[in-house]
Amino acid sequence: MIISGLLLAFFVSFLIHIFALVTYVTKKSNRSLKTYILTTFTNITIAGACIVLIFMKPEMAKTVDLKFLTWIMSGIILVITIVIKIGVFRRIYRRIKDPSNYHVNFFGKKVLHASVVSRLEIAVFFGTMPFFLMAGAYFVARGVNFFLYKHL
């Protein structure tokens, strides 16, 4: 159980690490650089703790329930991708409501400008789609399997 908790903490820390790296590359903020460095040390510490525990007690590695662990990880990925997609939709919706991003044509219909959606938002939306579909399908399939047959 301890190894499973450490592996799950390592996974979450690694996701935060990737997010901090992407944020630093896109925004060049000092805060994201500090988060990136902090998660680097956190990842090294958690990985070191896993290695030490497995070397000291190898039977702990045998007790790790990988199906449950991958199910939880796929659920985390699913939630993160849903949050990303909702954020993109909210930003686009706010821009759609702003009168500076559209004009009314001759027939009285609202015509949106191309500035409503940026290329980065389109790339993020479609770039997260495979992760959303694969992690979501795995999470839902294992969840249904658990509720129907009482095992993952």
Side-chain angles (χ1 to χ4, degrees):
M1 188 68 184
I2 294 171
I3 298 293
S4 296
L6 284 173
L7 289 174
L8 196 60
F10 182 70
F11 177 70
V12 170
S13 179
F14 186 72
L15 290 176
I16 294 170
H17 186 74
I18 292 172
F19 177 74
L21 177 64
V22 169
T23 306
Y24 178 69
V25 167
T26 56
K27 296 181 181 176
K28 303 282 189 213
S29 70
N30 197 20
R31 182 173 181 244
S32 59
L33 178 63
K34 288 179 182 177
T35 304
Y36 179 75
I37 293 170
L38 179 68
T39 55
T40 301
F41 291 123
T42 305
N43 290 343
I44 291 170
T45 304
I46 293 173
C50 283
I51 291 170
V52 167
L53 280 174
I54 289 174
F55 277 149
M56 292 179 72
K57 296 184 179 181
E59 63 273 1
M60 290 178 78
K62 295 177 185 176
T63 62
V64 174
D65 188 7
L66 286 179
K67 282 188 179 180
F68 179 72
L69 202 59
T70 54
W71 183 62
I72 294 294
M73 288 177 178
S74 68
I76 292 171
I77 291 172
L78 177 68
V79 168
I80 288 172
T81 55
I82 287 174
V83 167
I84 289 171
K85 289 180 184 308
I86 288 173
V88 168
F89 279 128
R90 287 180 64 211
R91 282 192 300 269
I92 292 171
Y93 186 75
R94 265 191 238 123
R95 278 190 236 125
I96 287 172
K97 294 299 178 185
D98 186 15
S100 65
N101 289 322
Y102 65 87
H103 67 274
V104 180
N105 67 4
F106 179 73
F107 300 106
K109 299 290 181 183
K110 186 178 3 177
V111 178
L112 297 171
H113 298 156
S115 63
V116 172
V117 181
S118 70
R119 291 177 190 240
L120 179 65
E121 289 170 338
I122 292 173
V124 166
F125 183 80
F126 286 112
T128 58
M129 189 65 71
F131 299 107
F132 173 71
L133 293 175
M134 287 187 292
Y138 184 82
F139 183 75
V140 170
R142 286 288 178 194
V144 168
N145 195 19
F146 178 72
F147 287 117
L148 289 180
Y149 306 113
K150 303 298 183 227
H151 63 84
L152 290 175

